[in-house]
Amino acid sequence: ASRLAMSHTHPNGLRVVVVGPPGSGKGTQAPMLKRDCHVCHLATGDMLRAAVKAGTPLGLEADAVMKRGELVSDDLVVNIYPREPEQPGV
């Protein structure tokens, strides 16, 4: 099962990190947390797949890494991260 790790209440709102192995329910629980807690939902896998599909330079770089069966580096993920994430509750 996924484990829900909540940090202390941040001055800018709630921060929740859902971690677990593939198939543990992260993708099922996150939309419910988004809806119930009025927070945004960021999934690195979704962001990587979108960048690959869009054919961006970073997406192409990530695609090559994933096709080799390697983990995408934190630096690459951080650069793919949206500069203006969705608004909470959207």
Side-chain angles (χ1 to χ4, degrees), residues 48 51-68 76 80:
L48 289 168
V52 169
K53 184 176 181 179
T56 67
L58 292 173
L60 296 174
E61 187 178 341
D63 190 41
V65 171
M66 292 185 289
K67 284 181 177 174
R68 292 192 306 266
L76 186 53
I80 289 175

Side-chain angles (χ1 to χ4, degrees), residues 74-86:
D74 290 343
D75 287 339
L76 186 53
V77 171
V78 167
N79 285 311
I80 289 175
Y81 180 84
R83 296 294 168 239
E84 295 183 29
E86 64 182 277

Side-chain angles (χ1 to χ4, degrees), residues 42-57:
L42 297 173
T44 54
D46 293 346
M47 291 187 296
L48 289 168
R49 285 185 288 276
V52 169
K53 184 176 181 179
T56 67

